Amino acid sequence: MVSLMQVSLLIKFKCYSVLFLGVANGAKCYLKPQAEEERKIAAEEKEKQDEQKQIERELAKAQDGSIIT
């Protein structure tokens, strides 16, 4: 069995700092493209919904005009 050794607090701090920075960097690199893709999909869906609403308005306007005349 390996005996426990005293490790300097500075070395411990350095190790945990590097670990934290690595996790933070990985999260940033992984989550950023994913968020951009979600925003792109949401924008496309909004465009489709807006287009559908405009078509419905035009159809309603055309039907209202034909009933009056």
Side-chain angles (χ1 to χ4, degrees), residues 46-57:
K46 187 175 183 336
E47 287 179 16
K48 289 179 183 178
Q49 289 176 353
D50 291 344
E51 187 176 314
Q52 185 67 28
K53 285 180 183 179
Q54 182 157 353
I55 291 171
E56 289 174 1
R57 281 189 220 126

Side-chain angles (χ1 to χ4, degrees), residues 14-25:
K14 185 177 179 182
C15 288
Y16 285 110
S17 296
V18 169
L19 177 65
F20 175 75
L21 291 174
V23 169
N25 185 39

